[in-house]
Amino acid sequence: MTQSAPVGLPAVRLRPDAPFGVYVHVPFCLTRCGYCDFNTYTPAELGGVNPDAWLGVLARELQLAAARLGAPVADTVFVGGGTPSLLGSERLCAVLELVRQQFGLAPGAEVSTEANPESTSPELFDALRKAGYTRISLGMQSVSPRVLATLDRVHSPGRAVAAAREALDAGFEHVNLDLIYGTPGESDDDLRRSVDAAVEAGVDHISAYALVVEKGTALARRVRRGELAAPDDDVIARRYEIVDGLLQAAGFDWYEVSNWSRPGGQCRHNLGYWDGGQWWGAGPGAHSYVGATRWWNVKHPNTYAQLLAGGALPVAGFEQLDAAALHTEDVMLKIRLRQGLPLRLLRPDERERSAVAITDGLVTNERERLVLTDRGRLLADAVIRSLLG
């Protein structure tokens, strides 16, 4: 069942066998990047909610969330956006303190925040590390000036690497750099230089995503007008192979189709998304998943604030997943992981189709788990469709 208007959240019950995380969505950006379709707002797009007001209503949602779930202890926390680093150290530390007050943190909890390189500093990283953050994820995208310009990124080509080193110097053991490949005008050498720079920064985690031209974005309009060429599938595949080859040679191993890490550097919060974890997503437009229920908040920060001011959770809609939907999600998400999809989860007809995928060289059977081959990772979506039939 799916709802689309502001509604009350049905009763939800945590599964005791799965980790629990808290995601906090920060909806603020100074500028809107041309390729981005995330739920973010520039100052000109907001009428009433500023970061301080947002922090106040976030506190109310977290309070209601903890009461609804019985205040489970958080194994992971992830502050995303948007641009969380625009909040500054004081507000970002306050976000973590709100989570700590309402849920508590498990021993050894992973606490991550995203950051844009241009809005970070050594002082910010020092404050976040002292407050209990354990992981920094920086949007690097590329070291090519022309690629950054096409993506409307405002940081200089070298700033992301410098920020990563500042985070490491502040004592963060876990630092991620995000790359985007397949941007119009990018060359293979542009990508190689970007990967090499990310590796040389000394981080333990690198994510690399193919550029997707999302409807309604400035990038989509430029492609439609013929100003930029749409990403080519063959080029995207070659670029993925470049990324994977360089990272594996540098000691990184893939653990999800778009994510590589050194030993111990995996993002535990994101693993929860792919491997059956549960989370409460707080903030405008955030999505949550607990038990067999998924729901999502209203998108605009002003509407979000108004609902919470009235004592209501800001839920825009929900769906309760039946056994068939849960099974489909298991296949779709677990097959993307290096640890693979347990064969025991497959129905008899799906097992038969998996044998065909093995014969076709798209997956292997490793200790009763289906694991994507190098070629299978390039065709992951097709593998999923073939398994589900």
Side-chain angles (χ1 to χ4, degrees):
M1 175 177 62
T2 301
Q3 303 287 336
S4 58
V7 294
L9 181 66
V12 293
R13 180 175 296 177
L14 280 162
R15 287 175 282 118
D17 61 337
F20 173 72
V22 175
Y23 172 77
V24 175
H25 185 71
V26 180
F28 307 113
C29 282
L30 279 180
T31 61
R32 182 177 296 280
C33 298
Y35 65 93
C36 179
D37 73 337
F38 292 171
N39 189 46
T40 63
Y41 302 84
T42 64
E45 296 169 332
L46 290 172
V49 175
N50 57 42
D52 289 318
W54 167 84
L55 192 59
V57 291
L58 174 72
R60 180 58 177 154
E61 185 184 359
L62 291 173
Q63 183 182 43
L64 293 173
R68 177 63 69 96
L69 297 182
V73 174
D75 299 292
T76 62
V77 178
F78 196 104
V79 183
T83 310
S85 46
L86 279 181
L87 295 178
S89 60
E90 185 174 342
R91 294 190 193 98
L92 267 177
C93 294
V95 168
L96 178 55
E97 185 57 28
L98 289 174
V99 175
R100 187 183 279 116
Q101 288 173 359
Q102 297 300 333
F103 292 98
L105 300 178
E110 176 192 84
V111 182
S112 307
T113 185
E114 294 179 335
N116 278 4
E118 72 277 5
S119 55
T120 62
S121 66
E123 293 76 19
L124 174 75
F125 293 129
D126 285 338
L128 296 183
R129 188 71 191 95
K130 290 173 183 175
Y133 282 86
T134 67
R135 188 175 181 276
I136 298 292
S137 183
L138 290 155
M140 176 178 174
Q141 280 67 54
S142 178
V143 296
S144 165
R146 66 168 174 264
V147 171
L148 292 175
T150 300
L151 296 174
D152 295 320
R153 299 294 292 187
V154 298
H155 63 265
S156 62
R159 177 57 200 152
V161 167
R165 289 173 175 156
E166 290 167 2
L168 292 166
D169 288 343
F172 282 94
E173 294 181 25
H174 304 300
V175 179
N176 171 63
L177 286 168
D178 273 349
L179 298 174
I180 291 178
Y181 58 91
T183 302
E186 177 191 59
S187 69
D188 289 354
D189 283 343
D190 287 333
L191 181 59
R192 290 189 183 97
R193 285 192 293 270
S194 297
V195 175
D196 287 344
V199 169
E200 290 167 7
V203 300
D204 68 343
H205 191 290
I206 294 173
S207 302
Y209 303 101
L211 179 67
V212 176
V213 180
E214 301 285 1
K215 292 182 180 178
T217 61
L219 178 64
R221 292 189 290 274
R222 295 183 69 187
V223 169
R224 187 173 63 248
R225 291 193 298 263
E227 297 174 15
L228 296 172
D232 178 85
D233 288 344
D234 291 336
V235 172
I236 290 291
R238 184 175 73 248
R239 299 271 163 80
Y240 182 89
E241 291 174 331
I242 290 172
V243 171
D244 185 57
L246 291 172
L247 289 180
Q248 300 246 23
F252 289 76
D253 196 11
W254 75 281
Y255 70 95
E256 192 274 339
V257 169
S258 299
N259 290 272
W260 292 257
S261 74
R262 297 189 187 278
Q266 298 176 346
C267 177
R268 287 159 46 196
H269 185 87
N270 286 345
L271 273 173
Y273 294 152
W274 300 309
D275 199 28
Q278 305 169 100
W279 65 93
W280 187 290
H287 284 231
S288 303
Y289 177 58
V290 172
T293 303
R294 177 184 292 109
W295 67 95
W296 47 94
N297 285 349
V298 295
K299 287 189 172 183
H300 201 282
N302 293 333
T303 308
Y304 170 80
Q306 290 163 8
L307 287 170
L308 282 162
L313 282 169
V315 177
F318 68 88
E319 57 182 344
Q320 293 176 304
L321 305 181
D322 59 18
L326 289 169
H327 172 76
T328 296
E329 291 218 341
D330 264 349
V331 174
M332 290 176 61
L333 297 174
K334 292 180 187 295
I335 195 65
R336 295 180 61 85
L337 294 171
R338 177 63 182 86
Q339 66 195 39
L341 169 67
L343 276 167
R344 60 179 171 77
L345 297 181
L346 296 182
R347 300 189 305 258
D349 59 317
E350 292 167 343
R351 281 180 175 251
E352 291 180 9
R353 288 191 288 272
S354 74
V356 175
I358 291 172
T359 300
D360 290 343
L362 298 174
V363 294
T364 59
N365 183 346
E366 297 183 13
R367 298 182 299 278
E368 295 301 299
R369 287 175 174 264
L370 289 182
V371 177
L372 292 169
T373 63
D374 291 348
R375 179 167 170 262
R377 278 188 281 157
L378 294 173
L379 300 169
D381 290 343
V383 173
I384 292 165
R385 289 193 298 269
S386 69
L387 290 175
L388 292 172

